[in-house]
Amino acid sequence: MSATSSEQTLATAVLSGDRRALARLITRVENRAPDALEALAILHSHTGRAAIVGVTGAPGTGKSSLVNALALALRRRGQTVGIVAVDPTSPFSGGAVLGDRVRMVDLAGDSGVFIRSMASRGSLGGLAATTGDVVRVLDAAGFAVILVETVGAGQSEVEIARMAHTTVVVDAPGLGDEVQAIKAGILEIADILVVNKADRPGAQNTVRTLRAMLELGHRLRTGGHHGVRAVAAAVQAEPVFDSWTVPVIETVATEHKGIDELLAALDRHQAHLRETGEITDRERQRVEAELLARLREALLARLLAERPPEALEKTIQRILRRELDPNTAVRALLEDDLSSPDGKG
Amino acid sequence: MSDEKIRVLIAKPGLDGHDRGAKVIARALRDAGMEVIYTGLRQTPEMIAEAALQEDVHVVGLSILSGAHMALVPRVIEQLRAAGLDDVLVLVGGIIPDDDIPALQAMGVSAVFGPGTSTDDIVRFIRSAVQLSSP
């Protein structure tokens, strides 16, 4: 009871703009403290107002510097900015060095900005498992724009596209050739492509390669159907192409060059999402994906709680001894049919 | 299923540009399973307190090699208190004369680690001083 009311107090304090409470609630959410769920439930009805922008790309392309420059430009327009910067957790120690603030010193002392570093804590999709909830807390706290910087991403860390309204993929000269550019994955999720460090040799090559890739064909829309009204009309088996033309923007983030162009592209993309109704589609997909993920986790927790504590370890041992194959093991665990506790040798 | 980590802010206040020690500590704390927010060089006391608040850290570690610790540390502590962060553990590392240590501790510094301190000692100190699962 007292825990519940303390979480209510924390949620109320966050809504009233208390930055300490905001920081503390984010910690609770990150730690998956059971009572943080209560606060998230209270905050949920206050979410949905922020523009969520993802910034991703390979390590060293300048994501943090770009976030710094972009946040400054947004502040000049009078918009408040929440920043979530994710860095990898060491798989060996569970610790992390979170260094994105080093590039964000220009934002210090501005109460219209809130920066939070997050460790990925074992998640592989470029974000932490709780990043979505942390974004939601910042949304409820009233930040107009939330910039989410992923870990230095390779080719498959595409989770950000599901969370953000607009995904900015940052590239830099000298990182890849034309074959890299047509591979599926990180470039495919870009709503806006940025070639940062555009004053470096080879930048024009990178720009040309990316433009050429974009000309190979229109991008597929991020799954799903064409808004609620179209659902009854057609269950689409065909791919849906996006009418949005992905711009390639050159920046030198450390010198704040090209940032106005990037901001204009962000504005155009937000307008595009609203005009085409895609924003509703994306929201729906995000809610569906999140619901399924949470359900999966909850079902797993429930199943494991119902089985004897040693069931999992014993099954693992039996698979290791080649007595059981993984698929049969899953069926056995689901049906609670683990004949003979020690696997009968 | 709570998954709590010790969070530590490592900052270099003042103007000296030597951050090797700070990086060694950051790395050692990472290897001890802590989440280390590294803020880099030339941080003002205001910036340090603001980062400590936003990152909700248990510990603020200050690395000072310039000799300006008697001027910088009280200002950092003052800013932390102004931000309501009285419960944050403040550690100082770097070139600190023994004679200054009692005065720093009187200001609210929990421990001072000079050159040659084993990183294991720092890890042990933090682990014993920080209680997780606080309210």
Side-chain angles (χ1 to χ4, degrees):
Chain A
M1 192 64 197
S2 73
T4 299
S5 63
S6 98
E7 289 310 316
Q8 278 171 351
T9 317
L10 210 47
T12 314
V14 167
L15 290 173
S16 71
D18 180 336
R19 294 163 75 83
R20 179 92 203 271
L22 176 58
R24 291 182 60 194
L25 180 56
I26 290 175
T27 305
R28 304 283 193 92
V29 168
E30 272 197 285
N31 291 344
R32 300 174 171 231
D35 49 3
L37 300 180
E38 178 87 10
L40 282 168
I42 297 168
L43 293 179
H44 184 75
S45 63
H46 298 271
T47 60
R49 289 174 299 185
I52 302 166
V53 177
V55 179
T56 188
T61 49
K63 293 182 294 297
S64 302
S65 301
L66 197 72
V67 165
N68 176 60
L70 197 54
L72 268 184
L74 287 162
R75 289 299 295 141
R76 269 199 295 275
R77 300 208 300 203
Q79 289 176 287
T80 54
V81 184
I83 297 172
V84 183
V86 188
D87 268 329
T89 291
S90 157
F92 303 108
S93 74
V97 173
L98 313 174
D100 292 320
R101 291 188 86 100
V102 172
R103 314 263 174 244
M104 299 183 189
V105 284
D106 292 341
L107 305 169
D110 181 348
S111 63
V113 177
F114 192 97
I115 307 170
R116 181 64 176 236
S117 313
M118 281 187 92
S120 62
R121 296 196 183 181
S123 288
L124 297 175
L127 300 172
T130 54
T131 301
D133 282 336
V134 169
V135 167
R136 212 158 295 138
V137 171
L138 288 167
D139 185 352
F143 291 95
V145 181
I146 298 168
L147 303 176
V148 183
E149 181 188 335
T150 72
V151 306
Q155 295 172 320
S156 58
E157 290 87 347
V158 296
E159 242 174 55
I160 185 65
R162 206 172 273 152
M163 179 181 308
H165 299 127
T166 305
T167 302
V168 178
V169 174
V170 188
D171 205 344
L175 288 182
D177 57 14
E178 288 165 40
V179 184
Q180 299 293 345
I182 53 173
K183 284 186 184 170
I186 192 159
L187 288 177
E188 216 175 10
I189 62 170
D191 297 307
I192 297 171
L193 278 168
V194 166
V195 176
N196 192 34
K197 308 187 185 184
D199 55 346
R200 297 256 179 110
Q204 286 313 310
N205 273 338
T206 307
V207 171
R208 247 194 319 275
T209 305
L210 292 174
R211 292 225 166 96
M213 170 204 73
L214 294 169
E215 282 160 14
L216 289 177
H218 253 290
R219 184 177 64 151
L220 289 175
R221 261 178 87 152
T222 46
H225 34 65
H226 222 291
V228 181
R229 271 159 292 136
V231 174
V235 178
Q236 281 159 357
E238 290 163 42
V240 182
F241 291 98
D242 195 342
S243 60
W244 169 254
T245 307
V246 178
V248 180
I249 295 174
E250 297 169 47
T251 61
V252 184
T254 49
E255 294 171 21
H256 303 272
K257 284 186 188 152
I259 303 303
D260 289 342
E261 289 80 355
L262 175 56
L263 204 51
L266 280 172
D267 289 342
R268 269 187 284 122
H269 187 252
Q270 295 276 329
H272 166 83
L273 290 178
R274 278 191 301 272
E275 283 157 16
T276 57
E278 197 185 334
I279 195 144
T280 334
D281 281 14
R282 286 195 182 199
E283 285 282 331
R284 210 205 72 87
Q285 285 166 24
R286 184 173 60 77
V287 169
E288 178 179 325
E290 266 192 33
L291 188 61
L292 289 175
R294 277 166 211 256
L295 204 51
R296 209 171 285 137
E297 197 175 313
L299 283 173
L300 177 64
R302 180 192 281 183
L303 181 85
L304 292 179
E306 283 170 1
R307 299 290 173 264
E310 70 283 0
L312 196 63
E313 186 53 38
K314 282 191 173 146
T315 309
I316 292 167
Q317 291 305 327
R318 291 185 63 193
I319 296 171
L320 284 173
R321 289 198 301 265
R322 304 292 188 270
E323 295 168 13
L324 204 60
D325 75 280
N327 285 320
T328 312
V330 166
R331 215 173 313 133
L333 276 169
L334 280 177
E335 288 160 12
D336 200 7
D337 179 26
L338 293 162
S339 44
S340 84
D342 58 359
K344 264 182 193 157
Chain B
M1 188 186 63
S2 196
D3 178 23
E4 223 177 331
K5 301 272 183 188
I6 297 179
R7 285 172 71 87
V8 183
L9 186 86
I10 297 289
K12 277 197 63 68
L15 297 175
D16 82 84
H18 305 282
D19 59 354
R20 189 179 147 72
K23 284 176 174 160
V24 168
I25 299 300
R27 172 72 195 268
L29 299 183
R30 182 199 81 177
D31 290 344
M34 301 179 195
E35 290 183 351
V36 182
I37 294 95
Y38 186 74
T39 59
L41 298 169
R42 296 182 192 89
Q43 300 280 302
T44 65
E46 291 77 9
M47 289 160 84
I48 293 167
E50 183 185 39
L53 182 141
Q54 292 178 356
E55 301 290 355
D56 194 27
V57 292
H58 304 93
V59 181
V60 171
L62 304 172
S63 165
I64 309 175
L65 296 103
S66 62
H69 48 274
M70 296 308 280
L72 289 167
V73 172
R75 286 178 49 215
V76 171
I77 288 176
E78 190 182 305
Q79 290 296 324
L80 287 172
R81 290 200 176 128
L85 304 173
D86 311 73
D87 53 344
V88 171
L89 199 69
V90 179
L91 309 178
V92 176
I95 315 282
I96 312 290
D98 288 349
D99 291 351
D100 291 341
I101 294 176
L104 289 171
Q105 286 175 331
M107 289 169 199
V109 173
S110 299
V112 176
F113 299 105
T117 308
S118 133
T119 53
D120 289 346
D121 289 344
I122 301 176
V123 167
R124 243 190 313 274
F125 182 86
I126 293 177
R127 283 203 181 126
S128 68
V130 173
Q131 289 170 339
L132 291 180
S133 290
S134 49

